[in-house]
Amino acid sequence: MNDTVRLIVCDDHAMVRAGLLALLSSDSGIEVVGEASTGEEAVVLTARLHPDVVLMDLQLGDGIDGVEATRRILAGPGDSHVLVLTTFDTDADITRAINAGATGYLLKAERPAELFAAIRSAAAGRPALSPPVASRVMARMRSPLPQLTDREQDILDQLGQGLGNREIARALFISEATVKTHLGRIYAKLGVDTRSGAVAIAKERRLLR
């Protein structure tokens, strides 16, 4: 039985990829079978090589980002797992990656031993999270995303486009009074009391469509 973990590295920075390849080569139980500089390349390589794990950065320059690449990889053939390795640890980034199906989320500041362990965990289908990420996930579970009605979501989306009450009312074929009523409920659910505050929270928590 071969316990070697077959891995693809996806990062848009050549120097970062080179550093990772050098680091990973120090672990005889990990074999890098391919490297990609874009999300599209990662999707194609994964479909062809069927690695155990894809080590995925989130920000990949032009083209699809790491979240969309993760989504496409997991929707494709094979049973590869995706382990995010990034410098970004915002709630929005973590939530998007996990919702896309990533098995783990690791920060680039982690020590090599923790990276190796996370790769093996991901290969086995076990979650692997950096401590700061795990803390954020737990906090999010204790404070879940607000549940907006369809109409509230419509109005929030219009708000995100910079529309005023009159423009929103016209776009949605409702009265300005109705818009104001819904805005009050939206503010309450988001814990804000201004339009700018609502838009800021909506962008941070990826609530806009």
Side-chain angles (χ1 to χ4, degrees):
M1 177 177 170
N2 187 1
D3 292 330
T4 301
V5 177
R6 301 175 68 254
L7 186 82
I8 284 177
V9 173
C10 180
D11 195 294
D12 62 330
H13 293 101
M15 290 295 289
V16 173
R17 291 200 308 278
L20 281 172
L21 264 57
L23 176 63
L24 293 167
S25 68
S26 69
D27 189 316
S28 60
I30 296 174
E31 177 189 3
V32 178
V33 296
E35 58 178 296
S37 61
T38 69
E40 289 84 353
E41 285 181 5
V43 174
V44 171
L45 275 178
T46 302
R48 189 170 81 229
L49 300 175
H50 302 292
D52 299 304
V53 177
V54 179
L55 201 57
M56 180 73 69
D57 192 12
L58 287 186
Q59 302 297 328
L60 296 172
D62 296 334
I64 63 174
D65 65 5
V67 171
E68 179 58 28
T70 295
R71 192 175 290 114
R72 294 186 189 183
I73 285 170
L74 298 180
D79 55 0
S80 301
H81 298 283
V82 175
L83 174 62
V84 171
L85 180 66
T86 185
T87 57
F88 301 93
D89 65 346
T90 67
D91 287 355
D93 287 320
I94 295 167
T95 300
R96 289 178 65 232
I98 292 176
N99 287 345
T103 300
Y105 196 110
L106 212 64
L107 301 179
K108 289 181 177 178
E110 297 295 348
R111 294 175 300 177
E114 291 165 336
L115 172 60
F116 299 154
I119 288 172
R120 288 186 169 82
S121 290
R126 296 191 302 269
L129 301 174
S130 289
V133 174
S135 296
R136 285 181 176 274
V137 170
M138 291 302 295
R140 175 59 62 85
M141 290 176 65
R142 297 189 191 102
S143 179
L145 290 173
Q147 297 300 308
L148 302 177
T149 66
D150 290 341
R151 178 58 79 194
E152 289 166 354
Q153 183 65 59
D154 290 339
I155 290 175
L156 183 61
D157 291 337
Q158 300 290 328
L159 207 63
Q161 296 176 28
L163 274 61
N165 288 2
R166 181 174 299 178
E167 295 168 305
I168 293 175
R170 189 178 298 121
L172 299 179
F173 303 102
I174 56 179
S175 69
E176 284 188 62
T178 299
V179 172
K180 290 178 181 178
T181 297
H182 283 302
L183 282 176
R185 293 171 182 161
I186 292 170
Y187 293 169
K189 290 182 178 181
L190 298 183
V192 300
D193 51 18
T194 64
R195 303 170 75 87
S196 59
V199 172
I201 291 295
K203 288 181 177 179
E204 177 187 332
R205 308 187 83 176
R206 305 284 184 176
L207 296 177
L208 299 176
R209 294 180 297 197

